[in-house]
Amino acid sequence: MTSIDDVAASLGVSTATVSRALRGLPGVAEETRARVNSTAKELGYVPSSSASGLASGRTMAMGVLVPVIDRWFFSAVLEGIDRRLRAAGYDLVLFSLGGDGVNRDRVFHRSILRRRIDALLVMSMHLTPEERKAVQQLEYPNLVIGGAVEGVRHVGIDDAQAARDAVEHLIGLGHTRIAHMRGGGSFDIDFEVPRLREQAFRDAMTDHGLTVREDWTAFGDFRFVTSRASALAMLADPRDRPTAVFCSSDEMAFGVLTAAAELGIDVPRDLSVIGIDDHEFAEPMGLTTIRQDPAGQGAYAADLLLGELMRNEPADDPPSRPHALVVRKSTGPAPS
Amino acid sequence: MTSIDDVAASLGVSTATVSRALRGLPGVAEETRARVNSTAKELGYVPSSSASGLASGRTMAMGVLVPVIDRWFFSAVLEGIDRRLRAAGYDLVLFSLGGDGVNRDRVFHRSILRRRIDALLVMSMHLTPEERKAVQQLEYPNLVIGGAVEGVRHVGIDDAQAARDAVEHLIGLGHTRIAHMRGGGSFDIDFEVPRLREQAFRDAMTDHGLTVREDWTAFGDFRFVTSRASALAMLADPRDRPTAVFCSSDEMAFGVLTAAAELGIDVPRDLSVIGIDDHEFAEPMGLTTIRQDPAGQGAYAADLLLGELMRNEPADDPPSRPHALVVRKSTGPAPS
DNA sequence: ATGAAAGCGCTAACAT
DNA sequence: ATGTTAGCGCTTTCAT
């Protein structure tokens, strides 16, 4: 492996000059810089991140902690984070607590704290009290995306308002018999988001003088399968059925849509369905939903941390990220 | 930040002893080891990966290169890789070439070659000739998952056989008017997989004396949206319609299913649909498919590389990973 | 079983 | 504009 010394020796300059030239620092003659660059390339020189990390104290890597990788929301956020990091020359170290709780603390202690990263992004997950404390005490910039974690800065949409917008869209269409498909606690996903959305549903109903029927509050666990099963039961009785379902996520809305089709219920004539997310499948499925932009949130969060890393001073508390109602074909006026 | 020296000083032993004790190396008295461990914990000592990486030459991190993150297959494979790495105490550095071709070579040169990682996993993507060459010349263990790349070891299912199994399932049900929804070249996903599957479709048809109608070979780009649109066109004419569609992926099969529902075509009475993947939504949607296990493939690949890293000698060429036909409700006998 | 000391390959003052 | 020289915090011989 050719090192910086090889490049320096081959040119008859000092390693310091090579280092400066390669990193684009001032104080190097343009001609020297050019020669350094070309010799470095010739020799196939690639700087060692361990060495520069050790010497400079910056690893040029950012950590991202997720509860699971293969869920639409998380991978979409990751995508957004990745773009920004790449543009900034940062690498992305991915930590997943993945499903089973095995090795959780090892991940936390060995990896996350191991100075492999300059900053940490935590994605909406349920942290144990010790874990939360560990994050709060981190000596490098950090941020939570998605559900809020007490004592840590947070980037995300206004979940309560988003849910309320969805419910009020249904109410505005004349619906009064409205059910709720709520998210859940699997995957170590945080509990804050589903709770906020459910509460907003209840508040909106109450504010409009409508009653919430507990047997119309089903558990979908943020998943297609679970939601379909719950919906099948909830919609079974043709004589006593909700006319609309507010789902805390699009994937659950797909489950309701599928169940409705299986039961021969016409959407939106007999049943309106609305979700939250604007999942990739929402548009082709004609699903009305509250759009949020996970990739945008990831990019925003990454930028914020990157900014702190550059300027070396904490940024302001980030405002809520935007959401928007997207009306498609799955919602319509309440049947008379 | 407490360093290894602090721990050593506080105990009155040498840094070498601390290093040995903490890493579980032999040649340390049990009593000493215990004292070291407890003092290290007390002092909140966390080893620096840069320092140990520099000194030992091993970063304890593995790189994973993906064309995009937020596609079901890729994130599922990632999930599998992550589990194994975590268990082995390795960190996962994620490189994405993400959509637009921006910064591609920077990722390749700056990051991947920067000795931040001990091994590299490349996920099924289209590499430029130079990139392919760079991978082939990598000085650390590497492997491709998904579509094969010439000159690089490869882990994946037997795509030709998987596709053939799907087509022969349809033929076995008496279908002769079979269409194909093929994958595509977006996302920088590699071209080998869609090509292999299409070729297998053609071969199977020919072998059974059936003809392939070019107007029944639609482009779905491995995506729901695109596939739905293509299917809408392909299935529009009730008097001249295929009775079955073989889709190169489940997401495309969902598109066909949706299109069929919109057109009022009964599945499976009037139309059979089969996919490849066994996507999370396949079971609740009742989709017949060829199951492959992306997480398993990821785990398998990670294990292989991890093994080489431990034993320091190349492993055998990996055999094809298994696939299996899963019959559900979307396929049935050909209409008479 | 433990210690001393020489690096690993860079960066960052401080000189010149 | 360039060079010199300490480290950065570990691992790893080689001694003892």
Side-chain angles (χ1 to χ4, degrees):
Chain A
M1 278 280 66
T2 66
S3 75
I4 198 173
D5 296 291
D6 298 330
V7 179
S10 143
L11 273 154
V13 300
S14 73
T15 66
T17 300
V18 175
S19 177
R20 289 187 194 107
L22 257 22
R23 285 182 298 152
L25 297 186
V28 181
E30 270 320 311
E31 196 231 316
T32 316
R33 194 187 299 278
R35 285 173 53 220
V36 169
N37 281 323
S38 77
T39 337
K41 172 168 277 184
E42 260 169 45
L43 268 45
Y45 167 68
V46 186
S48 148
S49 57
S50 299
S52 71
L54 182 55
S56 69
R58 331 194 92 222
T59 63
M60 293 301 281
M62 193 179 291
V64 181
L65 178 60
V66 299
V68 279
I69 303 167
D70 60 348
R71 304 260 90 212
W72 176 78
F73 182 80
F74 298 118
S75 58
V77 175
L78 262 180
E79 191 74 61
I81 295 172
D82 175 78
R83 305 254 171 125
R84 292 309 163 93
L85 294 190
R86 199 177 344 139
Y90 266 71
D91 286 329
L92 156 27
V93 182
L94 183 61
F95 304 111
S96 168
L97 262 21
D100 43 39
V102 182
N103 294 343
R104 253 187 105 104
D105 47 332
R106 278 184 58 195
V107 171
F108 243 81
H109 292 97
R110 204 210 52 241
S111 297
I112 299 198
L113 308 169
R114 219 180 162 202
R115 287 107 136 223
R116 193 190 275 293
I117 54 180
D118 296 336
L120 178 69
L121 243 21
V122 178
M123 224 117 106
S124 160
M125 35 180 292
H126 180 64
L127 299 176
T128 66
E130 306 88 66
E131 289 168 348
R132 178 150 39 76
K133 201 172 157 204
V135 171
Q136 288 166 346
Q137 296 181 341
L138 243 31
E139 6 184 69
Y140 45 67
N142 58 79
L143 199 62
V144 167
I145 306 180
V149 169
E150 204 189 307
V152 187
R153 270 180 314 174
H154 158 253
V155 163
I157 61 170
D158 180 339
D159 279 293
Q161 190 57 52
R164 174 175 282 269
D165 288 353
V167 177
E168 291 187 335
H169 169 65
L170 298 174
I171 295 173
L173 286 166
H175 293 274
T176 55
R177 303 162 62 81
I178 306 178
H180 176 46
M181 183 64 72
R182 56 179 224 276
S186 294
F187 310 125
D188 285 321
I189 289 176
D190 91 307
F191 297 110
E192 203 54 16
V193 173
R195 209 187 53 66
L196 282 173
R197 295 183 186 173
E198 178 174 359
Q199 191 54 54
F201 162 71
R202 292 177 181 279
D203 292 347
M205 292 290 278
T206 308
D207 290 355
H208 289 269
L210 301 175
T211 43
V212 172
R213 274 182 50 172
E214 293 307 325
D215 56 331
W216 287 355
T217 296
F219 179 62
D221 201 21
F222 280 137
R223 300 201 295 185
F224 187 120
V225 232
T226 316
S227 167
R228 171 179 162 273
S230 292
L232 243 19
M234 187 170 73
L235 303 174
D237 185 353
R239 290 154 315 179
D240 183 31
R241 215 154 49 189
T243 64
V245 187
F246 157 58
C247 305
S248 275
S249 83
D250 281 2
E251 294 198 26
M252 294 194 293
F254 301 149
V256 175
L257 251 21
T258 303
E262 290 178 49
L263 294 169
I265 302 173
D266 189 278
V267 172
R269 201 196 57 204
D270 301 327
L271 185 75
S272 283
V273 180
I274 188 169
I276 293 186
D277 274 343
D278 201 27
H279 183 285
E280 184 189 353
F281 293 178
E283 189 265 313
M285 302 247 313
L287 179 71
T288 294
T289 191
I290 302 290
R291 167 182 297 157
Q292 67 169 322
D293 173 14
Q297 293 176 44
Y300 182 86
D303 269 348
L304 209 139
L305 253 35
L306 247 14
E308 294 191 355
L309 251 16
M310 318 264 83
R311 296 188 318 281
N312 219 350
E313 55 169 50
D316 293 336
D317 257 31
S320 287
R321 301 280 75 213
H323 67 263
L325 173 67
V326 182
V327 180
R328 296 204 179 94
K329 300 181 310 187
S330 68
T331 50
S336 44
Chain B
M1 276 280 64
T2 66
S3 74
I4 198 172
D5 295 291
D6 300 328
V7 179
S10 144
L11 274 155
V13 299
S14 73
T15 65
T17 299
V18 176
S19 176
R20 289 188 193 105
L22 257 23
R23 285 181 301 151
L25 296 186
V28 180
E30 269 321 311
E31 196 231 315
T32 317
R33 193 187 301 278
R35 286 174 52 219
V36 170
N37 281 323
S38 78
T39 334
K41 173 167 278 182
E42 261 170 45
L43 268 46
Y45 167 66
V46 185
S48 148
S49 57
S50 298
S52 71
L54 182 55
S56 69
R58 331 196 92 223
T59 62
M60 293 302 282
M62 194 179 292
V64 181
L65 178 60
V66 299
V68 279
I69 301 167
D70 61 348
R71 304 259 91 213
W72 176 79
F73 182 80
F74 298 120
S75 58
V77 175
L78 261 180
E79 191 74 60
I81 295 173
D82 174 79
R83 304 253 173 126
R84 292 310 162 91
L85 294 190
R86 199 176 344 138
Y90 266 71
D91 286 329
L92 157 25
V93 181
L94 183 60
F95 303 112
S96 167
L97 262 23
D100 43 41
V102 182
N103 295 345
R104 252 187 108 103
D105 47 331
R106 276 184 59 194
V107 172
F108 243 82
H109 292 95
R110 204 209 57 239
S111 298
I112 299 198
L113 308 170
R114 217 178 165 205
R115 286 109 135 222
R116 193 190 276 291
I117 55 181
D118 295 335
L120 178 69
L121 244 21
V122 178
M123 225 115 106
S124 165
M125 35 178 294
H126 181 64
L127 300 175
T128 67
E130 306 86 68
E131 289 168 349
R132 179 150 37 78
K133 204 173 154 201
V135 171
Q136 289 164 347
Q137 297 181 340
L138 243 33
E139 9 185 67
Y140 44 68
N142 57 82
L143 198 62
V144 167
I145 306 181
V149 169
E150 205 188 307
V152 187
R153 269 180 315 173
H154 158 255
V155 162
I157 61 170
D158 181 339
D159 279 294
Q161 190 58 51
R164 175 177 282 269
D165 288 354
V167 177
E168 291 186 336
H169 169 66
L170 298 174
I171 294 174
L173 287 166
H175 292 276
T176 56
R177 303 163 62 81
I178 306 178
H180 175 48
M181 184 64 74
R182 56 179 224 277
S186 294
F187 309 124
D188 285 322
I189 289 177
D190 90 309
F191 296 111
E192 203 54 16
V193 172
R195 210 187 51 66
L196 282 172
R197 295 183 185 173
E198 178 174 1
Q199 192 54 54
F201 162 70
R202 293 176 181 278
D203 292 346
M205 292 291 276
T206 308
D207 290 355
H208 289 269
L210 302 175
T211 44
V212 172
R213 275 182 50 174
E214 294 307 325
D215 56 332
W216 287 355
T217 297
F219 179 63
D221 202 21
F222 280 137
R223 301 201 294 186
F224 187 119
V225 232
T226 317
S227 167
R228 170 178 162 275
S230 292
L232 243 20
M234 188 171 70
L235 302 174
D237 185 353
R239 291 154 315 181
D240 183 30
R241 211 150 56 186
T243 64
V245 187
F246 157 57
C247 304
S248 274
S249 82
D250 280 3
E251 293 198 27
M252 293 194 293
F254 301 148
V256 175
L257 251 23
T258 303
E262 290 177 50
L263 293 170
I265 303 174
D266 189 276
V267 172
R269 200 194 60 203
D270 300 328
L271 185 75
S272 284
V273 179
I274 188 170
I276 293 187
D277 274 344
D278 201 26
H279 183 284
E280 184 188 354
F281 293 179
E283 191 265 313
M285 301 248 313
L287 178 70
T288 296
T289 191
I290 302 291
R291 167 182 297 157
Q292 67 169 322
D293 174 14
Q297 293 175 45
Y300 183 87
D303 269 346
L304 209 140
L305 252 34
L306 245 16
E308 295 190 356
L309 249 18
M310 316 265 84
R311 294 188 320 280
N312 218 349
E313 55 169 51
D316 293 336
D317 256 32
S320 286
R321 300 280 77 210
H323 65 264
L325 174 67
V326 182
V327 180
R328 296 202 180 95
K329 300 180 312 189
S330 69
T331 50
S336 44

